Amino acid sequence: MQLHMDWLPFIISFKLAFATTVCLLFLATPVAYILAYKGFRGKPLVEAVFALPIVLPPTVLGFFVLIAVGNMSPVGRWYQNIFGHTLAFTFEGLIVASILYSFPFAVQPIQNAFEGVNPRLVDTARTLGCNRWQTFWRVILPASRRGIVMGIMLSFAHTVGEFGVVLMVGGSIPGETKVASIALYENVEMLEYSQAALMALALLVFSYAVLSVVYYFNRRTSTLVPG
Amino acid sequence: MCRADYTMIEIKVKKQLKAFTMDVNIKFGREIAILTGPNGSGKSTLLRTVAGLERPDAGCINVMGEIFFDASTDLSPDQRRVGYVCQEGALFPWLTVEKNVLFGLDRNARKDRSEWLDGLFEELEIKDLKRRYPGSLSGGEAQRVALARALAPRPRLLLLDEPFSAMDTAVRPRLRALLKEMQQEWEIPVLMVTHDHAEAYILGDRIFELKEGKVALCNERGKVIRMPLVSY
């Protein structure tokens, strides 16, 4: 029995989580802004769509993404025409799936933070010569920094914790789409319990550390920054 | 239509509110004009339409020759160059006092006006607070910082929405005196909302009493028609 751990799946998990989080920051922020500040018809329906990944079995989401990126769909064929292969069973495909899967975990904390910004601060900035864009950068973003950090940490941790979606869309190609949670599952399948235990422990410690930081950060900023 | 008048501020607005229609026509000059009246009489809404934070249904707003609003114009708040101070001061809690005050100035203005800005800090007695954060200020200090922040970009008009109501009654007289002093020195027109009648008559050169969105009474300093006996 060897207690040597294969780190490659962890590296892939972190690479995936990092890429997903960066993309989400740019995608979720404008969506959160619109949901927080704009009223439009059918808004609850749109919000429900964005929240779907929370309740949907990951395999359902994974199945739809697999179909959508495969060569049976127009999007998949379009991608295949440009790059010569489909997104299915590639790292890029995993990024697309992870963005969808972790979307609510990025949008909701940021949206909550935007909704919590004191409207007087926004009004004051406007009268001090800021247009809407400047007001966003100089007032809404700094006032929401706590929610944005929360969104970043939660999307990162949630992506590291993916299983079903990755399995459906990525398969388990070592060095490409075999992430930590899947490597753990395969170890169990092969009755490599010591390997599996190490990986499980590593994932547990990581998730706990991220959540502790989130809660610590939450408490600290709420007591230190008075309204 | 408002006539182009370079010495006066003319506010003539109509706006449908929940309980009544606001229909106001007031005029004042380089003085302290007070909007007073009971809660929910439309004072703050009127102030916000002048700042551009709310849109009237019709009318015109002319500030010394510059049309803020009429049938064909609607300047956004950042184009109006008005100073606006609300009840809680609304300082940016993540910025120091100094950065709060300089918020409305670009880099050039900060440099060109550095001496004048020093004077502003001095005059409002917030020079020693520059490095502090708003969370550590008293109500009176915070409101002086908010006033300095509104004045720093040299606005055409200063709008104050119950600026003293959230603070101790003990510090109010000092702040009122300070406001009066600065107004007289700079000759900046001030439109201030207060529901405190005493304050209205201490500070106001011109007093408009609103009632359900209409001007019920208009008094001028020295020509006080009647001091209201009933307080709201």
Side-chain angles (χ1 to χ4, degrees):
Chain A
M1 181 171 100
Q2 67 179 90
L3 266 178
H4 171 73
M5 180 134 95
D6 180 11
W7 285 104
L8 192 56
F10 279 95
I11 292 170
I12 294 189
S13 272
F14 282 107
K15 243 172 64 181
L16 177 64
F18 181 76
T20 303
T21 307
V22 171
C23 295
L24 272 178
L25 195 57
F26 287 98
L27 292 171
T29 306
V31 170
Y33 184 88
I34 291 167
L35 291 180
Y37 292 116
K38 308 274 180 218
F40 51 88
R41 264 167 62 135
K43 185 170 164 182
L45 298 178
V46 174
E47 287 185 293
V49 167
F50 287 133
L52 261 183
I54 295 176
V55 294
L56 221 50
T59 44
V60 173
L61 185 68
F63 174 74
F64 283 123
V65 173
L66 192 61
I67 298 300
V69 301
N71 58 14
M72 293 187 314
S73 85
V75 182
R77 275 199 299 276
W78 169 78
Y79 188 88
Q80 193 174 20
N81 281 339
I82 298 174
F83 295 97
H85 60 88
T86 66
L87 272 171
F89 311 116
T90 63
F91 186 72
E92 292 77 34
L94 278 194
I95 295 179
V96 172
S98 304
I99 287 172
L100 293 172
Y101 182 58
S102 294
F103 204 76
F105 291 81
V107 168
Q108 288 186 355
I110 300 177
Q111 182 187 346
N112 287 342
F114 285 170
E115 283 169 351
V117 174
N118 179 355
R120 298 280 176 215
L121 296 184
V122 175
D123 288 347
T124 306
R126 299 280 282 139
T127 61
L128 286 168
C130 288
N131 59 34
R132 290 195 182 280
W133 183 242
Q134 291 164 327
T135 305
F136 176 73
W137 279 104
R138 298 186 65 194
V139 176
I140 295 173
L141 270 191
S144 313
R145 64 203 177 288
R146 183 172 20 141
I148 291 166
V149 172
M150 280 261 281
I152 288 173
M153 310 250 323
L154 288 179
S155 347
F156 193 94
H158 191 240
T159 306
V160 170
E162 274 180 17
F163 181 75
V165 178
V166 185
L167 199 62
M168 294 295 270
V169 180
S172 175
I173 302 165
E176 170 86 12
T177 61
K178 187 177 180 177
V179 299
S181 57
I182 290 189
L184 165 64
Y185 176 71
E186 289 183 352
N187 277 324
V188 174
E189 291 261 275
M190 293 185 293
L191 305 175
E192 303 257 11
Y193 282 112
S194 54
Q195 273 290 339
L198 263 181
M199 290 196 139
L201 197 65
L203 282 173
L204 177 74
V205 169
F206 166 77
S207 302
Y208 180 67
V210 170
L211 287 182
S212 306
V213 171
V214 166
Y215 281 105
Y216 180 72
F217 187 75
N218 224 343
R219 200 178 59 109
R220 213 173 66 108
T221 43
S222 59
T223 49
L224 273 189
V225 178
Chain B
M1 279 297 289
C2 297
R3 272 179 307 150
D5 187 332
Y6 295 90
T7 58
M8 297 293 276
I9 285 124
E10 193 175 356
I11 302 163
K12 214 160 141 183
V13 291
K14 264 190 196 173
K15 184 175 170 69
Q16 180 65 48
L17 303 180
K18 250 187 207 145
F20 50 81
T21 305
M22 185 169 77
D23 186 354
V24 170
N25 182 357
I26 61 174
K27 241 175 146 180
F28 59 96
R30 295 181 177 279
E31 60 196 338
I32 298 184
I34 301 274
L35 285 172
T36 185
N39 281 338
S41 57
K43 309 179 299 268
S44 291
T45 308
L46 181 58
L47 207 68
R48 289 172 61 80
T49 62
V50 179
L53 299 169
E54 270 178 61
R55 199 172 191 282
D57 298 333
C60 58
I61 299 168
N62 175 357
V63 175
M64 293 183 292
E66 170 102 20
I67 304 289
F68 280 7
F69 180 87
D70 65 13
S72 59
T73 325
D74 183 13
L75 296 186
S76 65
D78 50 300
Q79 295 170 314
R80 295 193 180 197
R81 279 191 49 215
V82 297
Y84 175 71
V85 178
C86 57
Q87 191 174 328
E88 323 92 285
L91 297 176
F92 305 113
W94 60 91
L95 296 177
T96 60
V97 164
E98 181 173 28
K99 289 200 170 139
N100 260 287
V101 173
L102 301 180
F103 188 91
L105 301 173
D106 59 26
R107 202 167 299 167
N108 287 336
R110 289 178 195 198
K111 225 165 49 191
D112 296 345
R113 294 182 201 169
S114 69
E115 233 168 86
W116 178 83
L117 285 165
D118 284 342
L120 183 67
F121 276 101
E122 195 124 358
E123 203 154 353
L124 284 166
E125 298 162 8
I126 53 171
K127 214 177 153 197
D128 301 329
L129 308 175
K130 274 187 185 177
R131 289 176 191 286
R132 300 254 298 266
Y133 281 88
S136 72
L137 303 178
S138 72
E141 286 169 339
Q143 220 51 344
R144 293 205 302 272
V145 175
L147 195 57
R149 180 178 61 181
L151 288 169
R154 303 202 199 183
R156 300 180 172 104
L157 166 67
L158 188 59
L159 303 171
L160 307 173
D161 195 352
E162 311 225 11
F164 308 134
S165 65
M167 62 189 60
D168 271 3
T169 40
V171 295
R172 286 187 206 176
R174 174 83 197 92
L175 274 160
R176 287 183 193 133
L178 204 59
L179 174 65
K180 190 95 191 162
E181 237 169 72
M182 305 225 25
Q183 191 277 323
Q184 281 170 345
E185 189 183 324
W186 297 17
E187 297 189 314
I188 179 173
V190 175
L191 182 60
M192 172 169 152
V193 166
T194 177
H195 64 254
D196 179 342
H197 252 100
E199 185 165 274
Y201 283 85
I202 292 166
L203 274 175
D205 297 305
R206 203 173 289 270
I207 296 148
F208 304 100
E209 272 192 50
L210 292 195
K211 208 172 172 189
E212 296 198 332
K214 317 260 185 313
V215 178
L217 191 67
C218 167
N219 282 341
E220 230 175 287
R221 178 170 294 277
K223 285 204 269 181
V224 173
I225 300 161
R226 66 170 174 90
M227 281 288 274
L229 297 172
V230 204
S231 65
Y232 293 103

